Amino acid sequence: MAAVSVVAALVAGFVAWPGAEKADATPSAAAAPSAFVHPGVAVSRGQLDFTREKVTAGAQPWKSAYDRMMGSAYASLSRTPKPRAVVECGSYSDPNHGCTDEREDAIAAYTTALAWYVTRDERYAKKSIELMDAWSATLKDHTNSNAPLQTGWAGSSWPRAAEIIKYTYTGNWANSGRFATMLRTVYLPEIINGSNSNGNWELSMMEAAIGISVFLEDKASYDKAMAKFRTRTAAYVYLASDGPLPRTVPSQNLDTREKIVKYWQGQDTFTTGLTQETCRDFTHTGYGLSAISHVAETSRIQGEDLYTTDVGERLRQGLGFQARYELGEAPPASLCKGTVHRGLGPVTEVGYNALAGRLGHAMTNTQKLTERNRPAGSNNLFVAWETLTHAGNPR
């Protein structure tokens, strides 16, 4: 009789693999604000004002970060956009038909939007608009195996640029509606349902979906993306409180220890701060941690401070764990068979500022790595100029 009850419960969905059950238990209540804050994707007006004040005063590290940004190709006023109707991206960018062009034009749109805000030179606002308009007039689809990830990467930068331009530039952006339509019809459908690939995919896709939802003021998409983000974050960074095994995403059916270990790159010893991709390499791990920090920052601006939840704790531990080894500490034999592949990237500034600066957590290794890497530049995918926008930013 007991066995029958257990089977019935399993069928009904009341008993599940422990990891899946925990991950699925993340808050599912509506997360979207009653009214969206603009600009409100990764950086707020208050943060932009702080950045401008520091650069204008010649204060460090903001002035050197600004100089690095302005010296980059992304800030060039002579940049010519390279849109195409179909962007085709295969695994490891093979084939690469417009993939690099799209990502870098999106970063350039964000860069010139930042340059506009700091300088008030409307040539930069017009350049940002030119880049956004060129793509919104042309792009129809993303194809091939990396289409979801490509859409997530480019789709993370576009709304950051658009938010700054739409809500701070007093000139005319006649095609802002067409740009919004592109985000709604070309980008959002490709990413909103998530991915069962490595965790950095879905985290980047949800970052883009949440940023786009803010720009579109789409509460339903915001809530759907945030729910997926919360579940994926819980399954991406391990905490000892999760139990003997990491949490999982229910749709992936990682219902045995063997499957989980395989998905975690063969790692069978789980330590607080370890990520699902640590034993793959730190570069991809950095993509995931960066996306977590960007979503947490956007959510905070929109009124829900995820840094004070398990999301913040996972980010804090994930950054600290990776920073130890990125700084050169030799890994024990129990971690990735004693070998790690470093290269975390310029991804620590946002999380460090929020968790150590605003919330007061001690983050010694993350602080050392963050300060060593200043002024942080761009990873040429979806991360750009975060020393400039977030170093020591209290707003």
Side-chain angles (χ1 to χ4, degrees), residues 241-286:
S241 57
D242 293 336
L245 291 171
R247 299 186 181 189
T248 66
V249 174
S251 61
Q252 293 189 268
N253 297 312
L254 299 175
D255 53 3
T256 67
R257 176 183 173 83
E258 182 182 20
K259 288 181 182 179
I260 291 173
V261 168
K262 182 178 180 181
Y263 186 60
W264 281 63
Q265 318 297 325
Q267 178 69 12
D268 59 6
T269 301
F270 301 101
T271 306
T272 291
L274 181 80
T275 80
Q276 183 256 314
E277 295 185 274
T278 297
C279 293
R280 180 186 185 185
D281 58 61
F282 281 17
T283 301
H284 287 88
T285 296

Side-chain angles (χ1 to χ4, degrees), residues 123-280:
R123 293 179 301 165
Y124 290 105
K126 289 178 178 177
K127 178 55 69 172
S128 184
I129 290 170
E130 177 190 343
L131 290 158
M132 290 188 282
D133 281 356
W135 281 89
S136 70
T138 308
L139 183 65
K140 301 300 180 187
D141 199 11
H142 297 89
T143 64
N144 215 316
S145 59
N146 267 28
L149 182 60
Q150 171 72 18
T151 308
W153 281 343
S156 294
S157 297
W158 287 128
R160 288 183 220 152
E163 282 279 298
I164 294 172
I165 296 300
K166 182 174 181 179
Y167 292 100
T168 74
Y169 177 54
T170 55
N172 184 37
W173 183 15
N175 293 312
S176 62
R178 187 179 72 196
F179 184 80
T181 297
M182 177 187 74
L183 294 182
R184 184 180 296 281
T185 62
V186 179
Y187 284 84
L188 202 53
E190 185 70 44
I191 55 179
I192 192 63
N193 292 318
S195 166
N196 285 327
S197 185
N198 279 300
N200 82 85
W201 277 52
E202 187 162 82
L203 289 166
S204 290
M205 291 162 68
M206 292 309 103
E207 176 189 345
I210 287 165
I212 288 169
S213 296
V214 170
F215 184 71
L216 298 177
E217 298 197 326
D218 184 336
K219 293 182 181 182
S221 292
Y222 187 99
D223 286 345
K224 181 174 182 177
M226 188 61 76
K228 285 188 173 296
F229 167 78
R230 295 291 298 267
T231 298
R232 176 60 70 175
T233 297
Y236 194 70
V237 184
Y238 175 79
L239 298 178
S241 57
D242 293 336
L245 291 171
R247 299 186 181 189
T248 66
V249 174
S251 61
Q252 293 189 268
N253 297 312
L254 299 175
D255 53 3
T256 67
R257 176 183 173 83
E258 182 182 20
K259 288 181 182 179
I260 291 173
V261 168
K262 182 178 180 181
Y263 186 60
W264 281 63
Q265 318 297 325
Q267 178 69 12
D268 59 6
T269 301
F270 301 101
T271 306
T272 291
L274 181 80
T275 80
Q276 183 256 314
E277 295 185 274
T278 297
C279 293
R280 180 186 185 185

Side-chain angles (χ1 to χ4, degrees), residues 107 153 156-157 160 204 207 287 290 294 379-384:
I107 292 172
W153 281 343
S156 294
S157 297
R160 288 183 220 152
S204 290
E207 176 189 345
Y287 300 163
S290 181
H294 293 160
N379 71 351
N380 304 312
L381 299 172
F382 69 104
V383 178

Side-chain angles (χ1 to χ4, degrees), residues 33 35-41 214 222 297-304:
F36 285 100
V37 176
H38 304 289
V41 177
V214 170
Y222 187 99
E297 195 72 357
T298 296
S299 180
R300 185 188 68 87
I301 294 166
Q302 298 304 326
E304 182 184 27

Side-chain angles (χ1 to χ4, degrees), residues 22 42 46 48 87 99 127 158 199-200 225 234 244 247 264 321 367 387:
K22 290 178 182 176
L48 290 167
V87 174
C99 316
K127 178 55 69 172
W158 287 128
N200 82 85
R247 299 186 181 189
W264 281 63
F321 186 88
Q367 177 181 357
T387 297

